[in-house]
Amino acid sequence: DKLKRLVSLVLVLALTAAVLLSGCAKKQEQKVVNVYNWGENIDESIFKIFEKQTGIKVNYTTYESNEQLYAVLKMGGTNYDVIIPSDYMISRLIEEGMLEKLDFNNIPNFDNIDERYKNLEYDPANEYSVPYTWGVVGLIYNTSMIDDEITSWGALFDPKYSGQILQFDNSRDAMATALFHLGYSVNTTDEAELNEAYELLVQQKTILQGYVMDQIYDKLEGGEAAIGPYYAGDALLMMENNPDLAFVVPEEGTNLFVDAMCIPKGAVNKENAELFINFMCDTDIALKNMAVTCYATPVRTAYEALDEETRSNEIMFPKDDVLNRCQIYKNLPQETLNLYDQLWVKLKS
């Protein structure tokens, strides 16, 4: 009898332990946030601070373009909790019902965001996104390889630099370089204008070294190529590593972009995601992040805390004369998006 009682006690204890352990495991499983972001676009050391503050572990992966992000989400890559698309892609995701509305009770630091980055056209009621960074696109070129002062998008299409030119490896940005050079709106839906831009890219292909995204770092820093278009924050990082590099916003104008934090539809860890978004809008965290990424912050309190030298950096914070000739990408109608896809496939084949 004693033995039976002992055995049943051991079994009860084992069962209780198993239940407790599985409860703990479940709790631990929930304590994650899966963040999907552009490459070279965050100070990864802040994840430890977030984990210490909240007990939530950050799983972090990167993509190279808005189009790649869109394709992954479309194919059912729904295990992400936070994504950081650009303006035009956010409006597309909203339109297609691919984002969750945010609970701003979990994001009190939204108050730190400068008013000029709220209620923008891509998310007019500010229901789906919190601004993360902003900046402009320009040309990065190696002054030891190119003697001329570069002022125009035309340099990307100049046979003089044959074999030394890089181009964006995504359709929206690549087409924009041609549209700007031709003097057209980057949001044109005119088929003739888009075909003309495409023809310019076809001609460019014969003098191009290659289509790149983050590979541009190695190529420009290492002097393997002389010129390419990219984003201002990345340009500053490259210039730190190679002082021969210069950045210019072409005279024809350029793209002004805002990247913002969103939660994909069906995200498993929605509240954790909102806590992460809130954390990224903290003044000290925004400052720490900006020091590593070199991207301008929309966090007003962080901008105000910057020293005068950083605030007067015209690559990070362009002056009004530059901003006035910028265009923000808009989400294009479906038939224009289809045309973009067709032209891009044709160009790359």
Side-chain angles (χ1 to χ4, degrees):
D1 262 9
K2 268 187 189 169
L3 189 63
K4 270 187 191 164
R5 273 210 300 270
L6 193 63
V7 169
S8 57
L9 185 63
V10 168
L11 284 172
V12 167
L13 286 172
L15 203 58
T16 309
V19 167
L20 285 171
L21 281 171
S22 74
C24 288
K26 271 194 184 129
K27 265 189 185 156
Q28 278 168 350
E29 267 168 34
Q30 287 161 354
K31 285 289 203 177
V32 297
V33 63
N34 301 307
V35 179
Y36 196 33
N37 188 11
W38 294 80
E40 311 286 345
N41 202 29
I42 207 163
D43 172 7
E44 294 187 37
S45 75
I46 62 180
F47 298 159
K48 283 193 172 65
I49 303 171
F50 178 71
E51 199 171 329
K52 208 170 169 185
Q53 282 180 11
T54 61
I56 298 165
K57 183 185 184 316
V58 179
N59 294 325
Y60 187 69
T61 38
T62 62
Y63 52 86
E64 288 201 337
S65 70
N66 285 294
E67 288 66 28
Q68 187 189 345
L69 163 68
Y70 178 80
V72 167
L73 293 178
K74 259 308 197 213
M75 289 186 309
T78 50
N79 55 339
Y80 298 112
D81 304 309
V82 178
I83 53 171
I84 307 181
S86 305
D87 33 50
Y88 72 98
M89 187 52 72
I90 293 168
S91 57
R92 183 176 185 179
L93 294 171
I94 291 171
E95 235 166 76
E96 296 185 20
M98 292 170 70
L99 296 180
E100 293 281 357
K101 282 191 178 178
L102 302 177
D103 179 355
F104 283 90
N105 293 322
N106 293 326
I107 313 172
N109 285 337
F110 186 63
D111 291 348
N112 295 342
I113 300 285
D114 195 307
E115 289 305 314
R116 81 179 84 174
Y117 304 106
K118 291 179 177 177
N119 306 102
L120 295 177
E121 198 176 342
Y122 61 86
D123 183 10
N126 249 121
E127 294 178 298
Y128 297 93
S129 64
V130 172
Y132 174 63
T133 52
W134 67 275
V136 295
V137 173
L139 288 173
I140 309 164
Y141 65 102
N142 192 321
T143 55
S144 71
M145 297 168 80
I146 292 178
D147 296 330
D148 320 282
E149 192 191 340
I150 301 293
T151 58
S152 160
W153 288 110
L156 284 184
F157 306 98
D158 191 335
K160 183 162 48 167
Y161 309 124
S162 182
Q164 296 295 325
I165 302 167
L166 302 172
Q167 175 60 285
F168 278 116
D169 195 9
N170 78 73
S171 57
R172 192 71 197 257
D173 283 326
M175 284 287 277
T177 64
L179 290 166
F180 275 121
H181 184 51
L182 294 166
Y184 298 140
S185 161
V186 287
N187 297 306
T188 183
T189 56
D190 183 310
E191 209 168 312
E193 290 178 357
L194 290 167
N195 279 313
E196 201 182 327
Y198 164 74
E199 288 305 333
L200 186 56
L201 292 176
V202 170
Q203 287 167 31
Q204 182 194 44
K205 200 173 170 181
T206 62
I207 58 170
L208 208 58
Q209 189 185 113
Y211 296 98
V212 294
M213 288 304 291
D214 287 340
Q215 307 91 313
I216 197 169
Y217 272 81
D218 291 341
K219 290 198 173 274
L220 286 183
E221 285 175 15
E224 291 171 41
I227 186 167
Y230 222 57
Y231 316 107
D234 301 272
L236 285 167
L237 287 175
M238 289 180 227
M239 289 158 76
E240 274 177 23
N241 293 327
N242 184 343
D244 289 334
L245 296 177
F247 179 83
V248 64
V249 172
E251 59 204 2
E252 303 97 324
T254 193
N255 168 232
L256 167 70
F257 59 86
V258 178
D259 291 346
M261 298 175 280
C262 307
I263 300 179
K265 198 71 162 174
V268 180
N269 306 296
K270 185 171 185 281
E271 195 177 320
N272 295 356
E274 285 158 351
L275 294 175
F276 181 81
I277 291 170
N278 187 59
F279 171 80
M280 295 307 296
C281 300
D282 175 84
T283 307
D284 292 341
I285 295 302
L287 280 167
K288 202 165 160 32
N289 198 37
M290 195 172 22
V292 168
T293 65
C294 292
Y295 269 103
T297 181
V299 176
R300 187 192 69 258
T301 47
Y303 175 74
E304 286 165 357
L306 289 171
D307 58 66
E308 197 44 52
E309 190 189 344
T310 309
R311 255 193 284 188
S312 58
N313 182 321
E314 292 186 27
I315 298 177
M316 195 184 278
F317 299 106
K319 295 280 178 273
D320 285 347
D321 64 321
V322 170
L323 294 175
N324 290 341
R325 54 178 208 269
C326 285
Q327 297 179 44
I328 292 179
Y329 294 158
K330 292 177 182 163
N331 183 29
L332 300 166
Q334 191 56 51
E335 69 188 276
T336 307
L337 292 172
N338 294 344
L339 179 61
Y340 260 80
D341 288 345
Q342 287 159 22
L343 297 176
W344 188 246
V345 167
K346 211 156 62 164
L347 179 71
K348 293 292 295 288
S349 58

